[in-house]
Amino acid sequence: MTCRVYSNSNDWDINDSAIPRIDEYDVFSEWADGHCRLVYRADSEEAKRHSSGWAMRNTNNHNVHILKKSCLGVLVCSLRCSLSNGESVHLRPAICDKARKKQQDSVTLGKPCPNRQCRGRLEIQACRGHCGYPVTHFWRHTEHAIFFQAKGVHDHPKPEAKSTSEAKRTLGSGRRVRGLAVLLAKEAALGNKLMSLHEPKRQCREITNQVSRSINQSLVSSELEKGYCSCPPFECICRFQQSMLTPINQFPSSLSTYQQPHVAEPYWTPEPTIQQSYQNPPGPEPSILNPQYDFNSLASDIFQPEEMFQLDQPVKPDFVAMNQTEIARSPPTLLDLGSGTIHKEFKNEEYWHPALHNMLNDDSNNSSNSRFNLNQSPDSSHLLGITNEAPVDQHLYLETKSTDPLFTLQKNHYYPQCTIDNYPLHFDMVDSKPHFLDEKNGQKFESSHSKAYSKSNYQDEYIDLVQYNEYHNFLNVYDTSKTNNDNIIFNELDFRVNSCVPNISNVNSYSNDNFDVISYQ
DNA sequence: GGTTGCGGGTCTA
DNA sequence: TAGACCCGCAACC
């Protein structure tokens, strides 16, 4: 390998013979997606374990210095059935080939769908997010840091969290004890939800996508950014916590990839929340109406480990009808572990709720090669819920090389509900500056505020709309005359960005003369 | 019993 | 030749 010439101090690649010595580290991202590069502390336990929320299996790349892993995708129902709460089946594939084979029972037609009312079967939705190949993760250890690089954008839902799978394995001893176990689990969950009323600050972690750039949020939100839930497997109250946070976080958390509700849910996670929002009659979300807890959700939320293979009760009477909807999508596949081949099923199946699907496909501006990019992401539905009071979540983060043909990203985002000086926010990723659209004449202009967002001088983009909006609100409290001074605005905002997001300067702080010669461990 | 890391080996573009 | 993938092994939990 030839030595790479660093034309830019920000740049490094996992395959470089020498990479920058980094003294500022990223927060561990369990659900890293898209083409991203992260630097973790050398003593980061998660990084040392090379853990990931995605089901990543070790791949031999014949390079002992760089650990490579490829994504196994997700186990989904062949009929894409939905539960009563709108959630769908998305199990975590076993990493071990043998265990995965057993999990799928691929010798026959696949294990039956966990939904007893569904006649579908579990099948692997293979990851094809990297040029048709699985998304790959690379880990490399140096003396000072652990470097992580991901290639590709996952084109499938997130599998259940690893902790959930482990809990199933640990606790699941058979369906014969299901009744009692479910009873206990429900009781425990109820007890915890009640307890949560007395302990509103209980830590709970949110699964986030991409890089977590923590800002001055509550303790809860900081835990959420860790990427996993600290709640017991059967007693997760993240839904409760999340509902409390929802008004603040109703916004896509990433520009680059498919997003899912980041609530660590026992066994059936992702899209559900979004789907539910379409299935429910108009009105406030139940969890918001009853922010304390949702007893109704308990029955559908708590599953016994072995419940993943059969549910006791009908979960969605109309699921069959819903599944009749034929919508073009990537063909589902069955992974034959015996032969190692992947069989495509040439039929169109609807994984998403039709309403959601329509919403997703209504956007003709999609330019991404991912089925779950921002526009198509279920989280995009959160845009519908944006209010002026709580317009944005987000630590929008994008790190990629513009020259990477694999990475195509929606360049512009228009947030009509997010206004500044009565102008809707129009986020232009071309120069990573927020613009404000004058709807009358269609002109777009750059606010003086936006200067603070021109942080990167390379392709790396860091955008934090939360801070932007917060700061704007902050400014509104004060004498507006002060806001006419660009310098004040810039300095204060710059201060906020640098003080509240210590890691934000990470990638941009690489020193040209500060490289680690590869230290192989 | 499952995860993880490692490494030999095959296949294909 | 590079990359994806299969497979077996060992250590660990």
Side-chain angles (χ1 to χ4, degrees):
Chain A
M1 177 184 296
T2 58
C3 231
R4 178 172 183 156
V5 177
Y6 289 94
S7 58
N8 188 295
S9 60
N10 299 343
D11 204 8
W12 61 267
D13 186 90
I14 200 74
N15 291 311
D16 289 340
S17 57
I19 50 181
R21 176 172 174 172
I22 313 292
D23 292 323
E24 296 183 38
Y25 306 97
D26 293 289
V27 175
F28 185 79
S29 176
E30 187 179 20
W31 296 100
D33 197 0
H35 297 257
C36 63
R37 292 168 291 175
L38 304 174
V39 183
Y40 300 128
R41 301 184 66 90
D43 59 355
S44 168
E45 290 301 321
E46 294 103 328
K48 284 195 287 187
R49 287 196 304 265
H50 310 139
S51 63
S52 173
W54 305 101
M56 307 297 294
R57 74 168 173 183
N58 185 42
T59 301
N60 182 21
N61 63 343
H62 300 280
N63 185 339
V64 296
H65 308 303
I66 302 174
L67 177 64
K68 178 182 178 181
K69 293 188 168 188
S70 56
C71 182
L72 286 168
V74 62
L75 271 176
V76 298
C77 171
S78 61
L79 297 180
R80 306 302 193 269
C81 67
S82 296
L83 306 179
S84 59
N85 59 2
E87 297 186 4
S88 55
V89 178
H90 51 280
L91 303 178
R92 185 181 187 83
I95 304 300
C96 172
D97 291 343
K98 183 179 177 182
R100 194 165 62 254
K101 183 177 180 179
K102 176 183 175 183
Q103 189 179 37
Q104 296 176 74
D105 195 16
S106 61
V107 174
T108 57
L109 293 177
K111 222 144 195 173
C113 174
N115 183 353
R116 286 190 169 181
Q117 296 303 308
C118 174
R119 282 174 290 185
R121 62 183 184 273
L122 290 177
E123 64 181 16
I124 276 283
Q125 183 178 347
C127 180
R128 293 283 179 263
H130 186 207
C131 270
Y133 288 106
V135 170
T136 50
H137 288 177
F138 298 89
W139 296 88
R140 178 169 166 176
H141 293 243
T142 69
E143 183 180 355
H144 304 284
I146 299 174
F147 290 81
F148 168 83
Q149 183 168 351
K151 296 182 178 179
V153 179
H154 294 276
D155 60 347
H156 55 84
K158 289 176 182 173
E160 58 185 347
K162 188 188 299 183
S163 58
T164 302
S165 293
E166 292 170 351
K168 286 180 193 173
R169 217 172 45 241
T170 302
L171 301 177
S173 56
R175 277 194 282 153
R176 297 191 182 281
V177 296
R178 178 180 54 223
L180 175 61
V182 169
L183 202 61
L184 294 174
K186 288 180 179 179
E187 185 177 1
L190 177 59
N192 268 273
K193 297 214 172 191
L194 291 173
M195 286 293 291
S196 68
L197 296 177
H198 301 287
E199 300 177 76
K201 290 186 179 180
R202 176 175 177 175
Q203 297 181 6
C204 194
R205 294 166 181 172
E206 175 186 26
I207 295 170
T208 63
N209 194 12
Q210 287 293 3
V211 185
S212 299
R213 307 278 176 181
S214 58
I215 59 175
N216 51 346
Q217 291 185 354
S218 66
L219 178 62
V220 169
S221 62
S222 67
E223 282 293 317
L224 295 178
E225 292 183 358
K226 288 292 185 179
Y228 52 88
C229 172
S230 59
C231 307
F234 295 99
E235 306 163 19
C236 179
I237 60 169
C238 286
R239 183 182 298 274
F240 159 71
Q241 298 282 11
Q242 181 64 16
S243 67
M244 299 291 284
L245 294 173
T246 298
I248 309 175
N249 296 325
Q250 293 179 350
F251 217 74
S253 60
S254 169
L255 288 175
S256 62
T257 59
Y258 162 71
Q259 281 280 294
Q260 293 180 340
H262 26 261
V263 183
E265 297 169 347
Y267 296 105
W268 312 88
T269 35
E271 311 70 50
T273 307
I274 282 74
Q275 293 186 356
Q276 192 172 16
S277 68
Y278 283 90
Q279 294 169 343
N280 289 340
E285 192 174 324
S287 59
I288 298 177
L289 285 173
N290 183 9
Q292 285 75 30
Y293 48 85
D294 181 6
F295 286 101
N296 294 329
S297 67
L298 288 180
S300 59
D301 284 353
I302 309 301
F303 294 108
Q304 191 53 23
E306 290 301 315
E307 289 293 301
M308 64 177 280
F309 294 117
Q310 283 297 296
L311 297 179
D312 271 331
Q313 302 300 326
V315 290
K316 191 167 183 63
D318 57 342
F319 74 97
V320 175
M322 195 179 77
N323 288 322
Q324 300 307 314
T325 306
E326 299 280 324
I327 295 177
R329 53 181 293 278
S330 295
T333 57
L334 273 178
L335 176 60
D336 186 337
L337 291 172
S339 64
T341 58
I342 295 175
H343 306 285
K344 291 187 176 181
E345 294 184 343
F346 292 96
K347 59 183 179 183
N348 293 328
E349 296 173 349
E350 172 60 306
Y351 183 75
W352 308 104
H353 189 285
L356 174 60
H357 177 87
N358 292 336
M359 182 275 292
L360 295 177
N361 287 287
D362 280 344
D363 191 334
S364 58
N365 295 326
N366 171 28
S367 62
S368 169
N369 60 351
S370 169
R371 291 190 294 115
F372 300 101
N373 58 27
L374 177 68
N375 280 339
Q376 292 174 308
S377 164
D379 269 9
S380 300
S381 64
H382 288 196
L383 288 168
L384 300 175
I386 294 174
T387 65
N388 287 330
E389 291 74 28
V392 289
D393 168 12
Q394 279 339 321
H395 327 306
L396 299 176
Y397 170 82
L398 163 64
E399 179 183 358
T400 185
K401 294 181 178 179
S402 60
T403 56
D404 191 335
L406 296 176
F407 194 95
T408 57
L409 178 67
Q410 188 68 29
K411 297 293 184 183
N412 298 281
H413 299 285
Y414 176 45
Y415 306 131
Q417 288 85 354
C418 180
T419 63
I420 294 181
D421 299 334
N422 295 324
Y423 288 102
L425 177 60
H426 178 104
F427 212 95
D428 188 346
M429 284 299 298
V430 173
D431 55 3
S432 73
K433 298 175 182 177
H435 295 83
F436 302 95
L437 184 64
D438 185 338
E439 291 181 314
K440 293 181 179 179
N441 55 26
Q443 289 184 337
K444 184 177 65 174
F445 64 92
E446 177 185 354
S447 164
S448 58
H449 301 25
S450 63
K451 289 182 178 179
Y453 291 87
S454 303
K455 186 172 181 63
S456 173
N457 58 357
Y458 189 47
Q459 287 90 354
D460 299 337
E461 315 285 356
Y462 295 92
I463 308 108
D464 194 319
L465 290 178
V466 162
Q467 292 184 359
Y468 187 81
N469 190 62
E470 285 179 355
Y471 183 67
H472 179 262
N473 292 335
F474 167 77
L475 291 178
N476 285 338
V477 176
Y478 291 88
D479 184 353
T480 55
S481 63
K482 292 182 180 178
T483 63
N484 294 326
N485 186 325
D486 282 358
N487 292 329
I488 294 177
I489 295 171
F490 183 85
N491 292 335
E492 289 183 357
L493 189 52
D494 191 55
F495 168 79
R496 284 178 60 89
V497 168
N498 287 292
S499 62
C500 298
V501 191
N503 290 328
I504 200 166
S505 59
N506 181 12
V507 178
N508 295 313
S509 64
Y510 303 161
S511 171
N512 278 329
D513 56 356
N514 195 17
F515 287 88
D516 272 340
V517 176
I518 304 302
S519 61
Y520 298 121
Q521 298 178 344

